[in-house]
Amino acid sequence: MGRLQEEWDFYCWYMDPRKPLPPGRVFDPYRKRDDERRAREYGPEVLRRYPSAFTDGSLEPAGRRRQGGYSS
């Protein structure tokens, strides 16, 4: 995957308020507060759909590596 696609994936993930913060140490101090906000605004079903441990460290959900892309 090219750098441009990786950056686009990052921005799309970051801008989706239902998803947890992307992986990275810079976001670690804000994860708990973000989980609380998502639970308050969208309910527990969103937390089950997009848990904080959403990835294996990449910008794609674990197990979804280029297997047909994303289905929202």
Side-chain angles (χ1 to χ4, degrees):
M1 182 165 32
R3 180 174 166 81
L4 183 60
Q5 183 64 45
E6 288 177 5
E7 288 182 18
W8 181 255
D9 290 345
F10 173 81
Y11 291 127
C12 288
W13 180 338
Y14 181 75
M15 295 304 292
D16 188 343
R18 296 166 297 159
K19 291 184 180 178
L21 293 170
R25 287 184 293 171
V26 70
F27 298 113
D28 287 346
Y30 308 103
R31 290 194 196 285
K32 182 177 180 183
R33 209 168 43 193
D34 184 58
D35 285 346
E36 292 168 356
R37 177 198 57 82
R38 288 185 306 123
R40 185 176 57 249
E41 292 178 12
Y42 300 104
E45 63 278 354
V46 170
L47 291 181
R48 284 193 296 275
R49 183 171 180 194
Y50 302 115
S52 287
F54 188 62
T55 67
D56 57 1
S58 70
L59 289 180
E60 293 185 42
R64 296 291 298 274
R65 300 213 178 278
R66 295 298 140 201
Q67 297 175 3
Y70 294 94
S71 59
S72 339

